[in-house]
Amino acid sequence: MREAEEKGALAPAVQKAIRILDLLAASPGRPKPLSDIARELGIAKSSTSNLCASLEEGGLIRRTAGGFLLGRRSVELGSAYLAGFDQIREFYRICEESEVLRRQLVQIAMLDGVRSLYLAVYEGRERFPLSASVGDRYPASATAVGTALLAELTPERIEALFREPSHLVSLTNRSTSDLASLQAKLEITRRNGYAVDDGEVHPSVFALATLVPSTRADEPSFAIGVSLVHPSDTPGERERVLLALQQASAELSRPVLVHPRDEDDLTSEDRTTTEEFQ
């Protein structure tokens, strides 16, 4: 009984610590003073101070003259999380080996509620306005990668996700701003097999994305996308980029991803499993 009570008492502290980390993650690079953290989360300043001290001791946050920032340990944990996915480990190699993608700005993302969470970025060309960085979250309804991921869901699930009008965020006057328009765009995406962002995130940026469907029940799906800048992009360039994305998605979708240089490290059982999927 006492053990259960202690567990119940610990849970709120853990939840508050997670809220602090989320708050700091929402404003990367901008220190958050202790008083602001306490006020924004509705936590007593003394409790906030104790929680921050514990998080700081664990390396999850760090103290600066202006307040608190995420710490090095959060990066280590994030890297360890991404290392668990074959698709993320192979993403950079595939971009580097593609004659088309190696000259592009390529991003891979997963769905996080109603937002696209960017997991890796390959910079084969200079960044564009509002280009996402690793860890950024953008409205899924506006981005090409988000549209590709949402198109995997049923219309009923989409309706449940975007029941709140505030979940449809408009970044430009071309952003998808209502549920009916979103459902229509997703139906086109399902039919075409790829997603488009035509000025929805930035007026001068056109983006294409394809789905990397999950190959295991315990893993999420991903989407891989390329951003192009108007008016330098042409129909021919878009076609080449789309073909390269489709090829990359097909390679990333293989149940077992093995780079040739790693083949000598495989056991005979692993090699048999790999050959079955080739």
Side-chain angles (χ1 to χ4, degrees):
M1 180 68 178
R2 182 176 179 181
E3 183 180 354
E5 290 176 353
E6 289 176 351
K7 287 183 179 178
L10 288 175
V14 174
Q15 292 171 349
K16 290 174 183 177
I18 292 172
R19 292 174 63 196
I20 291 173
L21 294 173
D22 285 341
L23 183 64
L24 297 181
S27 55
R30 297 193 295 275
K32 184 79 69 172
L34 179 66
S35 57
D36 288 359
I37 296 174
R39 185 183 67 255
E40 292 184 38
L41 297 184
I43 305 173
K45 191 172 181 180
S46 58
S47 297
T48 305
S49 178
N50 292 334
L51 289 167
C52 286
S54 296
L55 291 170
E56 183 181 12
E57 184 178 354
L60 288 168
I61 67 174
R62 61 187 176 93
R63 190 190 306 264
T64 69
F68 290 97
L69 291 166
L70 289 178
R72 59 169 179 77
R73 186 64 177 158
S74 62
V75 177
E76 294 171 0
L77 292 173
S79 297
Y81 172 75
L82 294 179
F85 299 115
D86 293 329
Q87 295 90 337
I88 304 303
R89 293 201 302 270
E90 291 292 291
F91 167 75
Y92 290 102
R93 178 187 67 79
I94 289 172
C95 290
E96 188 63 38
E97 293 180 358
S98 168
E99 288 297 325
V100 175
L101 298 183
R102 68 166 53 173
R103 300 190 299 272
Q104 301 295 339
L105 180 63
V106 194
Q107 299 153 328
I108 188 168
M110 63 182 286
L111 198 62
D112 181 20
V114 296
R115 293 185 174 271
S116 309
L117 172 60
Y118 290 81
L119 305 175
V121 177
Y122 178 86
E123 297 187 30
R125 62 188 298 177
E126 63 182 279
R127 297 178 66 82
F128 306 142
L130 293 182
S131 293
S133 300
V134 175
D136 282 351
R137 289 175 170 83
Y138 274 60
S141 57
T143 61
V145 289
T147 300
L149 290 161
L150 290 174
E152 191 181 31
L153 306 180
T154 64
E156 292 75 19
R157 179 59 179 152
I158 295 299
E159 184 175 357
L161 277 174
F162 292 92
R163 185 171 290 116
E164 289 292 330
S166 60
H167 289 171
L168 283 160
V169 180
S170 294
L171 300 177
T172 72
N173 60 8
R174 304 195 68 173
S175 298
T176 304
S177 57
D178 61 83
L179 182 58
S181 298
L182 176 61
Q183 296 279 30
K185 182 173 71 170
L186 295 180
E187 182 55 37
I188 293 173
T189 301
R190 296 183 190 105
R191 187 165 60 247
N192 291 341
Y194 63 89
V196 170
D197 159 20
D198 190 359
E200 293 197 47
V201 174
H202 191 279
S204 66
V205 175
F206 180 92
L208 292 162
T210 53
L211 183 71
V212 182
S214 172
T215 58
R216 288 168 39 183
D218 59 344
E219 286 189 355
S221 292
F222 302 97
I224 181 172
V226 166
S227 299
L228 303 166
V229 173
H230 291 312
S232 60
D233 64 308
T234 63
E237 182 181 13
R238 294 181 187 182
E239 186 175 345
R240 287 190 294 273
V241 167
L242 178 58
L243 179 59
L245 283 174
Q246 291 171 333
Q247 293 172 339
S249 292
E251 188 168 355
L252 287 170
S253 298
R254 293 176 184 170
V256 178
L257 293 168
V258 181
H259 194 279
R261 75 167 70 101
D262 297 328
E263 198 158 321
D264 291 339
D265 298 330
L266 291 175
T267 64
S268 58
E269 182 179 353
D270 290 333
R271 192 172 288 108
T272 300
T273 302
T274 302
E275 289 170 352
E276 289 176 355
F277 290 109
Q278 291 179 341

